[in-house]
Amino acid sequence: MSRNVRFHATGDAGVLRLDEVDVPAPVKGEVRIRARALGLNRAEVMFRTGQYVVDPVFPSAIGYEASGIVDAVGPDVDHVSAGDAVSVVPAFAMTDYGVHGELVLAPAHAVVRHPDSLSWEEAAAVWMQYITAYGGLIDIAGLGAGDTVLLPAASSSVGLASIQVARMVGATPVALTRTSAKREQLLEVGAAAVIAAQEEDVVARVLDLTNGRGARVAFDPVGGPGVAQLAAAAAPGGIIVNYGALDPRDMALPVMDVLGKHLTLRGYELFEITKDDARRRAAIDFVLDGLSRELLRPVIDRTFTLDEIAAAHRYLEASAQVGKIVVTIPE
């Protein structure tokens, strides 16, 4: 039997339980993993509270990211073997698989052998953040050398990953955050500049940093009325890639900025990349290359034990972290 995270009704973190479950042997196209660490994401909070793109089916498993040791493989799985150290790419629906638990099943296409240099905690913090950043910045926006990119909510795991991805391709990452409290931490992880949106004139700072041209790319998980600032700070021909709704209010775009600067607003979600075989392989190759050259390195804010899973969710919801929240499972 395995203790796996499940919930039997939507609600706050208190609905999460460690249920004893019998995990079956993997069938064709599946891998069974004995987990060592679990990565937490805001998507799991939304799923748990019934605010996600799919509704849970009870009792519901949960979790997109895990690292651990392959326990068994199903027929026709030949890219990993029992005993391999692997981590899981979010390339499935949580209504089909949930990988937060001691012994879990995952679809084989979502299981990757990661570099030996990563700890279990780091390996559980790789794929959601770096593929999200790769997809929005590289695959869609074509970010490259000489570009300036604006990164709202920059202290999130995806924000920090985006700083590193931008640096990897020679772009200039400008971190946006609400106050200056996290300024030094953001500079330490590679931000070229930090703008505290509640304390500074965002548009004036961006224009100053770009010699009046503006930023070609904005990678935005916030949405809401604040998108107007991103449009005003954008360069002619710029693109705003929106990948979240931390502010659930409707966007308000200044039409003359959109028309006069020929701006593009593009909605984006991770699964555009991870559910497309060719794009997923390209993303994995990009991330593995960055990890192997130590240009990408997950930032861990805090770890919790499996018994503290509810506390870990509450900490994530408080939005005080700089980096990834990881849950550990001892051997």
Side-chain angles (χ1 to χ4, degrees):
M1 299 295 283
S2 169
R3 293 194 308 159
N4 288 7
V5 184
R6 300 202 302 180
F7 59 107
H8 297 248
T10 57
D12 64 20
V15 302
L16 296 173
R17 294 168 45 172
L18 292 177
D19 287 347
E20 294 276 352
V21 297
D22 184 12
V23 181
V27 298
K28 183 177 180 179
E30 288 185 334
V31 176
R32 191 166 65 184
I33 301 166
R34 191 160 296 281
R36 292 288 177 260
L38 318 172
L40 264 60
N41 300 285
R42 196 160 292 275
E44 286 127 17
V45 171
M46 297 173 69
F47 185 59
R48 188 200 77 218
T49 56
Q51 299 174 320
Y52 199 47
V53 291
V54 293
D55 294 325
V57 177
F58 301 117
S60 178
I62 192 171
Y64 275 131
E65 289 186 283
S67 63
I69 299 170
V70 174
D71 177 74
V73 300
D76 297 334
V77 175
D78 56 13
H79 69 294
V80 294
S81 304
D84 284 348
V86 297
S87 46
V88 180
V89 175
F92 49 88
M94 279 189 284
T95 47
D96 296 327
Y97 296 93
V99 298
H100 284 182
E102 294 174 331
L103 187 67
V104 296
L105 290 171
H109 68 263
V111 178
V112 177
R113 284 187 292 182
H114 55 255
D116 294 338
S117 58
L118 297 181
S119 67
W120 291 124
E121 292 81 6
E122 289 171 328
V126 167
W127 297 110
M128 176 69 84
Q129 60 177 323
Y130 286 119
I131 293 185
T132 298
Y134 165 88
L137 296 177
I138 309 302
D139 184 276
I140 292 173
L143 189 73
D147 285 335
T148 296
V149 55
L150 306 182
L151 301 170
S155 60
S156 69
S157 60
V158 174
L160 299 182
S162 298
I163 291 172
Q164 295 179 11
V165 167
R167 288 291 193 188
M168 183 174 166
V169 300
T172 300
V174 176
L176 274 60
T177 185
R178 285 176 295 178
T179 72
S180 57
K182 300 175 181 177
R183 183 184 301 275
E184 291 306 315
Q185 291 166 290
L186 290 167
L187 291 172
E188 287 172 6
V189 298
V194 178
I195 302 174
Q198 293 178 0
E199 303 169 9
E200 303 176 75
D201 185 325
V202 172
V203 177
R205 279 291 313 280
V206 173
L207 293 177
D208 181 59
L209 290 166
T210 58
N211 295 318
R213 180 165 179 79
R216 191 182 74 79
V217 180
F219 190 44
D220 178 38
V222 181
V227 175
Q229 278 189 328
L230 300 180
I239 179 171
I240 301 168
V241 180
N242 175 264
Y243 67 100
L246 294 176
D247 186 336
R249 294 176 293 174
D250 288 341
M251 296 179 187
L253 284 171
V255 65
M256 296 312 296
D257 280 331
V258 174
L259 294 176
K261 292 193 283 188
H262 309 151
L263 301 182
T264 298
L265 174 64
R266 170 67 152 82
Y268 157 66
E269 63 172 357
L270 168 82
F271 296 111
E272 291 184 56
I273 306 298
T274 61
K275 290 189 176 181
D276 179 294
D277 289 343
R279 294 169 84 186
R280 183 180 65 250
R281 284 193 295 268
I284 290 171
D285 288 345
F286 178 93
V287 174
L288 289 176
D289 176 58
L291 292 170
S292 67
R293 294 195 285 148
E294 298 187 352
L295 298 174
L296 305 179
R297 192 78 186 194
V299 177
I300 308 298
D301 178 90
R302 184 173 170 185
T303 62
F304 293 80
T305 67
L306 185 60
D307 288 321
E308 298 172 315
I309 185 65
H313 271 242
R314 293 188 185 100
Y315 183 70
L316 174 62
E317 290 177 276
S319 299
Q321 79 276 12
V322 177
K324 193 81 167 185
I325 300 164
V326 174
V327 171
T328 60
I329 301 174
E331 295 185 25

